[in-house]
Amino acid sequence: MTAVFTFWAGLHPLIQGLIKGLAVIGVMFPIGGACSLVERKVSAWMQGRPGPNRALPPWLAWVPGIGLLQRLGLFHLMADGIKMFLKEDSLPGHVNKFYFLLAPVVGMIPALTTVTVVPFGAYFDSAGQMVPLVLANLDVGILAVFAVGSLGVYSLILAGWASNSKYPFLGGIRASAQLISYELAMTLSVVPVFLMINAPGGTGTLSLTDVVRFQSGTSGLHGTWFIMTMPLSAVVFLVSLFAETNRLPFDMAEGEADLVGGFHTEYGSMKWGLFFVAEYSHMLIGSGVFTLLFLGGWNPLPWVPLQTVIGWLAHLSPLLAHPLAVGLISIGIFMGKVLFFMFVFMWVRWTVPRFRYDQVMKLGWQKLLPLAIGNLIFYAIVIAVLQK
Amino acid sequence: MAYTVERKPLTLLERIYIPQILAGMRVTLKHLFAPNVTMQYPEERPAIPSGYRGVPTLVMDPHGREKCVSCQLCEFVCPPKAIRITPGEIPPDAPTGHVEKAPKAFDIDMLRCIYCGLCQEVCPEEAIFLQNQYSMTGYTRAEMVNDKARLYELGGTLPDQHFKWDKKKAAAEHGNAH
Ligand code: SF4
Ligand code: SF4
């Protein structure tokens, strides 16, 4: 065990980063894929159907208990993946080829870049200091997420424009208008959180880790999660998140009912698949950021931070207080919350019908934006009084 | 008559959407755990109610006589012209020779049939019935045309209340005109 650690510490930081990055991608992609299956299953169950439950490779049929996996539709996931890779990758004749091929790639880049600044767990070093598990612990964390994350809209605009046909074009236009309008409300809604954690006189920070650190207290204000002290911010952020990730009830850019498939109408096989992986990655990162900002990150309960729980567990077995175990526990708690939010995304999708385009715009500019501004002013005053 | 639907202005709670959405989410969550309402089709089959109008078939009477006398009424009444009958004679020395006629060929094109049941309704001999079979599949157009043999195979034997032609034969042997 120690040999592994010393070997790891001896590696060049670049190689370390590469391995960590690949590990994160290696976790994110399967989750993204699994989410597409869960989406199908959840929608089916909500509609009183059993959902995908047929696919089973014949050479596996003898394995006992495989029927359960079959009924859960696990092999449909693989069948879908294989289909996506092996399908004819058609390129319509009327598209602008370079940008048409570029668009799905551009979609993936922000999705995979933002994940580097999102911490997903923590452990405690020998001095009892919290060390976050994150690919790049930038001090501008949330800004980086917003800045890079909003680049994702270029992929939709590019796809819509390069497709050179009506429906994708309309989808691209809607995407740009919608994403820009909700960006404002989203950014403004998190400002109070950072006003709170940046006490006057201290060093300023925009790091997501510090938000979680602030929520890791055991008593008083420090133990609360921000969803309790700033519910309005949380709601505005969540609603904007739905709009930013293009999920129902805000999936104007796709809108099967009126735009066929919106920006990805002309796409097929894996190019289409990339758009969907990107959408699910955005959802994952969005849920992650929401969890970090408003739900206490990897702390199991309000006023019961990770450190306390680890203290209890250490009584059971000192092995559980090992940084490796602590890291895994914290990742587990964090992933639990994130996956719950992925479920909420699906839950809302199959509950609320799509808004009309003008309603979406109205909601964004006339309701959420003033709400976010009012909320910011209110909390600015409250925090000024509190931190005087 | 003109009818005006009165639209009440939305209350504040309705306008902020959230309570409505939460109520909706409660409904969908309940459905998430409710039992499925669908049927696992090829394994489970629906119960066919009596009077169901499935694929039209030809039937025999309990003595094994084909009931159709190729009067061609069904062919004439069939709205999409799905039925083609070639009438044929029964040789007088056959056991059922007194019936005189039977179809030589009887084709129902199931790509045309609209399952209206008019053929069953019009048939004076109660020879054609729309029975329980509801799934017809084939790889070619020719496969979707049911010929006479197939129609009798699908139809089988149905009970008969009258034995009309046996009575006619008995009456003729007794010297009655009818
Ligand atoms: S099925 Fe009935 S209606 Fe049709 S030809 Fe035969 S006897 Fe006549
Ligand atoms: S059911 Fe109607 S359409 Fe079909 S064969 Fe009989 S009369 Fe023709």
Side-chain angles (χ1 to χ4, degrees):
Chain A
M1 199 71 178
T2 30
V4 177
F5 282 132
T6 40
F7 173 72
W8 175 253
L11 282 177
H12 191 276
L14 217 58
I15 300 179
Q16 273 191 13
L18 200 67
I19 295 176
K20 282 196 271 188
L22 285 179
V24 169
I25 290 178
V27 171
M28 227 171 82
F29 263 61
I31 290 183
C35 279
S36 69
L37 174 69
V38 174
E39 175 112 52
R40 288 175 73 183
K41 270 301 199 190
V42 166
S43 68
W45 287 332
M46 282 184 178
Q47 295 162 359
R49 300 181 281 125
N53 63 351
R54 291 297 164 122
L56 178 66
W59 64 86
L60 280 179
W62 56 272
V63 181
I66 200 126
L68 181 71
L69 295 183
Q70 184 191 10
R71 274 195 299 283
L72 284 177
L74 206 68
F75 300 105
H76 280 266
L77 179 61
M78 300 174 191
D80 278 353
I82 293 171
K83 180 202 80 174
M84 208 103 90
F85 274 110
L86 298 187
K87 232 170 129 163
E88 185 193 351
D89 196 359
S90 62
L91 189 64
H94 54 76
V95 300
N96 189 328
K97 296 208 174 44
F98 177 68
Y99 294 109
F100 187 78
L101 293 177
L102 191 66
V105 181
V106 171
M108 280 311 291
I109 291 172
L112 292 183
T113 312
T114 38
V115 80
T116 54
V117 296
V118 175
F120 44 82
Y123 64 93
F124 303 100
D125 62 11
S126 46
Q129 279 299 315
M130 187 170 82
V131 183
L133 293 169
V134 57
L135 293 180
N137 192 11
L138 293 186
D139 202 36
V140 292
I142 188 78
L143 270 190
V145 172
F146 283 153
V148 182
S150 55
L151 289 180
V153 69
Y154 283 104
S155 125
L156 310 194
I157 300 175
L158 215 55
W161 176 76
S163 293
N164 191 17
S165 74
K166 291 186 192 80
Y167 292 129
F169 185 65
L170 285 173
I173 289 184
R174 284 184 182 190
S176 52
Q178 176 189 336
L179 266 65
I180 288 167
S181 20
Y182 279 83
E183 200 105 303
L184 288 171
M186 190 181 208
T187 317
L188 283 176
S189 70
V190 300
V191 174
V193 171
F194 288 93
L195 284 182
M196 190 76 141
I197 67 165
N198 285 305
T203 45
T205 177
L206 286 174
S207 156
L208 288 165
T209 321
D210 290 328
V211 180
V212 179
R213 195 170 283 140
F214 188 87
Q215 298 175 76
S216 304
T218 45
S219 63
L221 200 57
H222 273 267
T224 54
W225 293 353
F226 280 118
I227 194 168
M228 296 150 74
T229 47
M230 303 178 179
L232 196 59
S233 287
V235 168
V236 173
F237 186 82
L238 195 62
V239 173
S240 315
L241 195 61
F242 273 91
E244 287 289 305
T245 48
N246 264 322
R247 289 288 295 186
L248 242 89
F250 299 110
D251 70 337
M252 286 298 113
E254 280 157 49
E256 306 77 15
D258 42 355
L259 290 187
V260 188
F263 65 92
H264 59 66
T265 305
E266 305 284 350
Y267 284 85
S269 75
M270 207 49 209
K271 291 204 292 296
W272 177 87
L274 276 183
F275 279 122
F276 271 73
V277 176
E279 179 178 325
Y280 279 110
S281 311
H282 275 303
M283 277 163 66
L284 265 178
I285 292 161
S287 321
V289 172
F290 184 81
T291 308
L292 292 169
L293 287 178
F294 295 105
L295 282 183
W298 43 82
N299 294 315
L301 287 170
W303 296 293
V304 184
L306 183 65
Q307 198 155 20
T308 320
V309 175
I310 296 301
W312 294 339
L313 285 178
H315 290 306
L316 253 67
S317 146
L319 220 56
L320 286 171
H322 190 277
L324 203 65
V326 177
L328 286 180
I329 293 171
S330 65
I331 292 178
I333 295 170
F334 180 68
M335 281 319 287
K337 292 183 190 178
V338 169
L339 292 183
F340 172 74
F341 261 90
M342 293 298 279
F343 172 71
V344 171
F345 270 106
M346 295 167 194
W347 190 5
V348 169
R349 171 169 183 187
W350 298 108
T351 303
V352 188
R354 177 181 296 122
F355 282 108
R356 227 169 41 218
Y357 185 55
D358 61 317
Q359 290 172 328
V360 170
M361 282 300 160
K362 216 179 225 163
L363 191 70
W365 288 105
Q366 296 189 349
K367 301 236 168 88
L368 284 187
L369 189 58
L371 214 59
I373 295 175
N375 180 54
L376 172 57
I377 295 172
F378 172 74
Y379 277 104
I381 296 170
V382 169
I383 290 166
V385 171
L386 272 181
Q387 296 185 341
K388 193 168 49 172
Chain B
M1 204 187 92
Y3 182 79
T4 324
V5 180
E6 203 178 321
R7 292 193 190 275
K8 291 199 204 83
L10 297 180
T11 62
L12 181 72
L13 270 188
E14 282 167 343
R15 259 181 300 148
I16 59 173
Y17 292 123
I18 306 283
Q20 311 292 318
I21 290 177
L22 289 181
M25 285 167 76
R26 228 189 82 222
V27 173
T28 36
L29 191 67
K30 237 187 293 167
H31 279 277
L32 188 65
F33 297 108
N36 293 332
V37 295
T38 51
M39 181 179 285
Q40 293 293 296
Y41 169 62
E43 291 94 34
E44 289 170 37
R45 299 286 175 139
I48 305 291
S50 67
Y52 183 81
R53 295 208 305 250
V55 173
T57 59
L58 290 176
V59 299
M60 306 216 189
D61 77 357
H63 297 158
R65 182 183 70 81
E66 60 175 306
K67 292 175 89 175
C68 173
V69 295
S70 67
C71 68
Q72 292 180 286
L73 277 178
C74 54
E75 184 175 0
F76 294 137
V77 80
C78 177
K81 303 207 182 305
I83 303 178
R84 278 282 169 280
I85 300 169
T86 315
E89 286 191 9
I90 303 176
D93 53 335
T96 54
H98 58 292
V99 182
E100 292 177 5
K101 272 171 86 184
K104 206 152 64 193
F106 199 122
D107 294 323
I108 303 187
D109 186 349
M110 292 315 295
L111 293 173
R112 290 190 143 231
C113 174
I114 56 171
Y115 299 83
C116 62
L118 286 185
C119 49
Q120 173 179 344
E121 208 164 302
V122 82
C123 178
E125 298 290 327
E126 298 184 358
I128 188 164
F129 280 92
L130 275 69
Q131 295 191 50
N132 284 357
Q133 203 198 336
Y134 50 83
S135 121
M136 276 284 302
T137 48
Y139 289 104
T140 60
R141 281 168 182 275
E143 253 175 84
M144 294 299 286
V145 179
N146 287 336
D147 62 8
K148 187 173 152 184
R150 177 109 182 93
L151 286 170
Y152 275 116
E153 185 195 318
L154 288 172
T157 306
L158 283 191
D160 191 329
Q161 260 116 55
H162 320 296
F163 293 109
K164 168 180 161 188
W165 289 97
D166 291 353
K167 284 183 194 156
K168 283 207 175 210
K169 189 177 182 186
E173 278 163 4
H174 277 88
N176 299 344
H178 295 291

